[in-house]
Amino acid sequence: MLSARLRKRAVPVAWRVRSTQGNIGFSIQKELLDSVRTWLPKDVSIMLAADRFYGTAQLIGWCQKAGWSYRIRLKGNLTLAHEGGELTTGEVAQRLPHGVMGAELYGSGVSTNIGILHEKGHKEPWIIAMDANPGKYTVLDYGMRWGIENMFSDFKSRGFGLMQSHIQKPDRLERLILIMSIALYWAISCGMFAERQAVADGVKKGL
C-alpha cells in the first residue's frame, strides 16, 4: 500500500493485493509506484519513506530515477561496498555512527547515502538509506512514516477489523480495502472540517 502522510496519520492512495508464498516482489511495488507517479504534477516534491521490508537496491534505484527523495530503512545484515572495501549495514551502525556517503548496496550498482540513529531505549538503530547528507535530522525524517502504522491500526484491530473479515480472495480483499479507504477519507475530512470550524469560531470570538 502506498499512502500519503497527513499530520500524524496517512491516507491510502493505491494498493495491490496478491496471494503469495512469501514477500511481494519489487515488480508489484514498481507497478504501484509507476501508476501513482503518473498522477502527480511534474513540479511536486515527493519523499518516499519505507520500512526495511522494502529496503532494496531496486527501490532505491527507482527513487533515484524518478527524482524522488527517500528515507528507506535497511536491515542490519546487508553488504555494502565502500571506499574499496566491504562492510555490512550493521557494521556501519557500530563503527560509523554518523553514516556513510555513496555506499553501494550488495553489488547492485546502486549507491546511496546511509544515515544512522540509535536513540536510548531503542533496541536497534535506524539504518536509513537517503538521498540527503546523513545526519540526525535527516534520519529523523523517517519518523514521518509512522503515520501509516496508525492507519494500519485503524484498518485492523483499532477500527474497521480487516483481519476479522477472513477474506482470502485477493480481488475481494481489494474491494473491501477500497470501501474502508473511502470511510477513512470521510472520517478524516469530517475531523478536519470540525477543526477548521473550531479555529474560525475562535478567531471570531477573539481568542
Side-chain angles (χ1 to χ4, degrees):
M1 180 174 285
L2 190 64
S3 301
R5 180 179 179 270
L6 181 62
R7 299 181 185 172
K8 293 184 179 181
R9 263 179 169 65
V11 289
V13 174
W15 53 89
R16 297 289 186 273
V17 179
R18 296 292 185 272
S19 178
T20 71
Q21 295 298 317
N23 296 340
I24 291 179
F26 178 70
S27 61
I28 304 300
Q29 299 170 24
K30 184 177 185 300
E31 174 190 316
L32 186 65
L33 290 163
D34 286 342
S35 296
V36 172
R37 187 183 176 194
T38 63
W39 305 342
L40 300 170
K42 292 184 179 180
D43 58 347
V44 69
S45 296
I46 299 292
M47 177 183 289
L48 179 70
D51 196 11
R52 53 187 169 186
F53 177 81
Y54 304 98
T56 64
Q58 292 170 307
L59 179 57
I60 293 169
W62 187 94
C63 289
Q64 292 172 347
K65 290 178 182 178
W68 287 16
S69 294
Y70 57 91
R71 302 291 187 272
I72 300 173
R73 191 173 180 183
L74 302 176
K75 295 179 180 179
N77 60 352
L78 304 181
T79 301
L80 307 171
H82 183 251
E83 296 183 350
E86 289 187 356
L87 71 168
T88 67
T89 45
E91 289 171 335
V92 171
Q94 293 174 1
R95 302 179 189 175
L96 303 166
H98 299 294
V100 296
M101 301 277 288
E104 181 184 341
L105 282 87
Y106 26 86
S108 64
V110 175
S111 296
T112 184
N113 301 334
I114 298 175
I116 308 293
L117 181 64
H118 195 171
E119 294 189 316
K120 292 182 179 179
H122 291 261
K123 183 179 179 180
E124 298 177 323
W126 279 357
I127 305 173
I128 308 297
M130 59 178 63
D131 60 308
N133 291 334
K136 178 179 179 180
Y137 294 106
T138 51
V139 172
L140 285 172
D141 287 338
Y142 174 74
M144 292 188 289
R145 184 195 163 273
W146 293 112
I148 200 170
E149 297 295 343
N150 292 330
M151 185 200 72
F152 286 147
S153 293
D154 293 336
F155 272 12
K156 297 177 183 178
S157 59
R158 196 171 58 191
F160 295 117
L162 177 64
M163 307 309 292
Q164 283 69 45
S165 71
H166 301 295
I167 293 176
Q168 296 184 1
K169 292 187 177 181
D171 58 333
R172 294 182 180 180
L173 189 57
E174 280 192 340
R175 290 195 290 271
L176 178 59
I177 291 174
L178 173 60
I179 294 169
M180 292 164 60
S181 297
I182 293 171
L184 185 63
Y185 269 84
W186 177 83
I188 290 174
S189 64
C190 287
M192 294 180 69
F193 176 78
E195 182 182 71
R196 287 195 298 270
Q197 286 296 108
V199 170
D201 290 345
V203 171
K204 290 178 182 179
K205 294 176 181 178
L207 298 178

